[in-house]
Amino acid sequence: MPTSTDDHSPASVGVLFDATRAERDWAAGRNVWFGYVREVLGHLAVSFDELAADDLAIISDNRLLVVPSVPALSADQVESLSGWVRDGGGLVLCGDPGPLADLAGCAGSSAVEEGHVRVAAAEPWGPAPDVALHAFGGVRLSGAATTLASWTDDDAAAITTRSVGRGRVTVFGADLWQSIVRVHQGWPVSEDGTPAFDGTAPVDDGILKCDDGLALSYELDRAMAPAAGAFAEPFEYKSPIGAASPTFHRPHGDLWRGLFAAVLFWTAEGAGQPVGWLSYWPYDVPAVAHMSHDSDGNTDESARAALSVFAEADVDVTWCFLHPGGYSDEIYGDVVAAGHEAALHYNAMAESDIAVWGEDYFVEQLEWVRAKSGQRIVSNKNHYTRWEGWHEFYLWCEREGIELDQTRGPSKQGNTGFSFGSCHLTFPIADHTERNRPIDVLSMPMLAQDLWLTCAEANRSEFLSQTLAQHGVAHFLFHGWNIGRWPEVRQAVLDTAAAARKVGMPWWTAAEVNAWERGRRQVRIASALVDGGVSVTVFTPSAIANASVLVAVPGLDPSAAVKVSSDGQARVAQRHGRSFVELGVDLPSGVSTWELSFGQ
């Protein structure tokens, strides 16, 4: 289904979707990972037209084409696409180039089930990630095309690019879509996971939880934060912690997304096609911080301790209420009156007659917290990060109107950081039994619980700096029980609140984050080159205040001064290693147009 700005003009980006392969794979009980391209472009808020192979005859309507999985093509279709590239089209392929191998200048030589990819500094994205990226699926590429990234085990090409006439073809041999999903959503959980080899993450505790399904590697994907010093061996696992441990210090899934975004915009610029998208946060907001509170213990004393420190920190938190309740009725009202968001802390730890894993028990607890708080419940976090299966819990949330889940995060010290590869909000997908459809529940990952007590405070600056670099959301969890018991945890709340503000990150509740992300994904942007500048037309069904509209403009001078034709402010900004024109405006509902011009 096309997602153009209107019904009459094509979007800047076309996506060639192999519906035949998708149907064949679903019928055979296989997952169709390449459909996740819709989520990746959706999170960028990039408008795109979805095309089939038969549409290649009218491909000239788009100057940029993404092929998330190369379909079977006739000789005429290959020639049509080749001519389009030679005439200046930009083509981004994912997986084995197949019938487009000659055009791409490379072919798939062998399959890769799992590996790591070393990315070189290159024109599309500038400086390279400082770690090899974990990949799931893909092919080794061989041929004359320029190599941008290589598989670490044998140096075979994993990403290539080639100029063809006035156009360009770039190939991701690593399976972008499967890699991002697998890192974000992990493996299905049905038994204890394998503990970390160094004793820092004993996940084999007989309790099924998110980090039993971790896809990232304890050995290859973690490191000590610079401020934490060297790893001390032998390591003793205890609480409060005795020493710092390695963390998942880089968001692998977000880094894969960033490489794709950089290639997308670089290719568009080369094709002479401006492409607009909506920044992840408002104008002048580089990233966002989020603090959640879990009511474990349910004592009035712990609740008062939490209310006190959150007031002192001036942070509105998402307060996840745990069944069975122990708070007095007064506490629920005081939490809401203080400006905090009421949420569910779903309990499947056998701590009450309905604290059991199962949808019926989830629904009962949700009804309980709605009655206790008197509020609409938007978000949830599972007690102890409990999890079973893969996508099934998200379906419970979807059916019951939970719009954001924040469970995916660490239960053990050695799993802190970007254990699920992201600091961004994403819509998870179901498996092949539901045709890999997107599930209408945003997932917001968690970085750490109770800094000082279960995670070294030295990690905080690393978590914040990486979240800033990815323009994501930094989610820190605290428990009132620990705030009241440990002065160091109370101080960690204050220090964390101040540290995020110091680097320009405001504190938002889960409800605020959810509303913003859902609103920005409805925006459609069309842009066109005009004399001396660019025209930007934006459609949004609902007004969005202080929006940041970004446009990749061919030939943009990073030092250029930008002038805007009407209300708003404009400048050149950096995202994903590239320069964009950034327009800061209040978007009214409906269609609006701005003209931007450039000078020195």
Side-chain angles (χ1 to χ4, degrees):
M1 176 179 177
T3 51
S4 302
T5 300
D6 56 52
D7 293 335
H8 306 292
S9 61
S12 302
V13 179
V15 175
L16 183 62
F17 191 78
D18 189 356
T20 300
R21 178 184 168 187
E23 293 294 341
R24 182 177 66 246
D25 285 355
W26 285 324
R30 294 190 293 266
N31 288 308
V32 176
W33 304 114
F34 59 83
Y36 198 74
V37 64
R38 300 181 180 111
E39 164 59 20
V40 173
L41 290 173
H43 185 46
L44 285 169
V46 166
S47 302
F48 64 94
D49 289 319
E50 198 162 294
L51 309 172
D54 291 344
D55 296 322
L56 292 178
I58 57 169
I59 192 62
S60 58
D61 286 344
N62 301 94
R63 301 307 301 155
L64 175 60
L65 182 66
V66 176
V67 185
S69 175
V70 179
L73 298 171
S74 69
D76 286 346
Q77 289 170 330
V78 170
E79 180 51 40
S80 175
L81 195 53
S82 300
W84 173 81
V85 171
R86 288 192 296 269
D87 288 342
L91 183 62
V92 180
L93 307 178
C94 299
D96 191 330
L100 299 175
D102 288 345
L103 177 62
C106 65
S109 60
S110 62
V112 178
E113 182 176 344
E114 182 178 357
H116 280 77
V117 172
R118 184 188 310 108
V119 181
E123 186 179 353
W125 46 71
D130 62 355
V131 295
L133 301 187
H134 205 135
F136 292 87
V139 294
R140 307 177 199 280
L141 300 171
S142 61
T146 300
T147 297
L148 301 179
S150 304
W151 295 99
T152 58
D153 58 349
D154 63 357
D155 287 329
I159 306 175
T160 66
T161 193
R162 181 193 185 207
S163 294
V164 181
R166 292 187 288 112
R168 176 171 297 278
V169 183
T170 299
V171 181
F172 284 85
D175 189 336
L176 269 176
W177 324 115
Q178 183 180 177
S179 298
I180 296 170
V181 174
R182 183 61 71 202
V183 171
H184 283 356
Q185 295 185 224
W187 299 99
V189 174
S190 60
E191 60 185 6
D192 275 344
T194 302
F197 63 94
D198 55 9
T200 60
V203 294
D204 53 339
D205 56 4
I207 302 170
L208 300 184
K209 56 203 171 296
C210 284
D211 44 9
D212 284 318
L214 280 176
L216 292 176
S217 166
Y218 286 122
E219 184 175 5
L220 300 176
D221 299 329
R222 296 189 306 165
M224 295 294 291
F231 181 56
E233 296 183 275
F235 182 85
E236 181 184 2
Y237 193 90
K238 61 182 181 178
S239 179
I241 62 171
S245 72
T247 70
F248 289 100
H249 63 308
R250 297 293 183 266
H252 284 245
D254 292 345
L255 291 168
W256 277 122
R257 287 171 177 266
L259 292 180
F260 172 74
V263 166
L264 184 79
F265 296 123
W266 175 63
T267 304
E269 292 168 20
Q273 174 64 63
V275 174
W277 60 292
L278 196 67
S279 185
Y280 303 116
W281 306 108
Y283 192 79
D284 272 339
V285 175
V288 163
H290 170 71
M291 192 176 293
S292 63
H293 170 267
D294 291 353
S295 70
D296 303 23
N298 277 325
T299 67
D300 284 12
E301 182 181 10
S302 65
R304 294 293 178 202
L307 284 167
S308 171
V309 74
F310 296 148
E312 186 175 343
D314 192 23
V315 174
D316 291 339
V317 308
T318 296
W319 196 296
C320 301
F321 289 106
L322 179 74
H323 187 277
Y327 289 156
S328 65
D329 289 342
E330 182 182 12
I331 290 293
Y332 296 96
D334 288 350
V335 167
V336 173
H340 304 304
E341 174 196 358
L344 176 63
H345 195 31
Y346 169 52
N347 187 354
M349 292 289 288
E351 295 172 357
S352 76
D353 57 341
I354 63 170
V356 180
W357 186 264
E359 186 172 4
D360 289 345
Y361 301 109
F362 172 74
V363 172
E364 283 190 68
Q365 292 183 36
L366 184 56
E367 291 174 347
W368 166 82
V369 76
R370 285 169 176 157
K372 281 290 187 181
S373 68
Q375 302 295 302
R376 176 175 176 259
I377 304 300
V378 172
S379 60
N380 168 76
K381 183 191 312 101
N382 290 351
H383 185 33
Y384 202 76
T385 69
R386 278 279 281 116
W387 201 269
E388 296 185 26
W390 197 59
H391 68 272
E392 293 82 0
F393 179 75
Y394 290 126
L395 298 181
W396 303 355
C397 292
E398 183 182 56
R399 284 192 281 265
E400 296 304 319
I402 292 293
E403 297 182 3
L404 182 148
D405 181 74
Q406 50 179 272
T407 303
R408 302 201 78 76
S411 72
K412 300 291 184 282
Q413 180 185 349
N415 288 340
T416 56
F418 305 96
S419 47
F420 291 94
S422 183
C423 56
H424 276 267
L425 295 156
T426 59
F427 284 106
I429 61 169
D431 69 14
H432 61 86
T433 62
E434 298 252 346
R435 298 168 64 88
N436 296 116
R437 70 173 180 87
I439 302 172
D440 190 16
V441 180
L442 284 167
S443 177
M444 180 172 66
M446 171 180 45
L447 294 169
Q449 303 187 31
D450 295 316
L451 287 172
W452 179 83
L453 184 68
T454 66
C455 176
E457 289 189 87
N459 293 317
R460 179 171 48 225
S461 60
E462 186 78 355
F463 296 163
L464 290 175
S465 67
Q466 287 299 308
T467 301
L468 274 172
Q470 298 302 319
H471 306 283
V473 53
H475 173 194
F476 297 92
L477 161 63
F478 289 93
H479 295 80
W481 184 267
N482 293 324
I483 291 168
R485 184 181 180 191
W486 301 100
E488 296 89 345
V489 175
R490 188 184 197 280
Q491 187 61 46
V493 171
L494 300 174
D495 292 344
T496 302
R501 289 196 178 100
K502 185 176 181 179
V503 294
M505 299 167 68
W507 288 93
W508 287 16
T509 66
E512 291 172 319
V513 167
N514 175 69
W516 175 265
E517 178 66 14
R518 289 175 178 274
R520 65 177 289 279
R521 284 181 181 242
Q522 301 303 309
V523 173
R524 298 290 174 258
I525 301 170
S527 52
L529 297 176
V530 296
D531 291 342
V534 62
S535 173
V536 181
T537 298
V538 180
F539 167 77
T540 176
S542 301
I544 299 179
N546 198 33
S548 169
V549 179
L550 294 158
V551 184
V553 178
L556 177 64
D557 181 351
S559 64
V562 187
K563 297 180 180 179
V564 59
S565 60
S566 57
D567 291 343
Q569 47 193 328
R571 61 190 176 192
V572 175
Q574 300 295 313
R575 297 287 191 281
H576 298 300
R578 305 205 58 75
S579 296
F580 298 86
V581 174
E582 182 180 25
L583 173 64
V585 290
D586 292 331
L587 295 176
S589 61
V591 179
S592 306
T593 298
W594 289 265
E595 302 288 336
L596 304 176
S597 57
F598 308 109
Q600 296 297 324

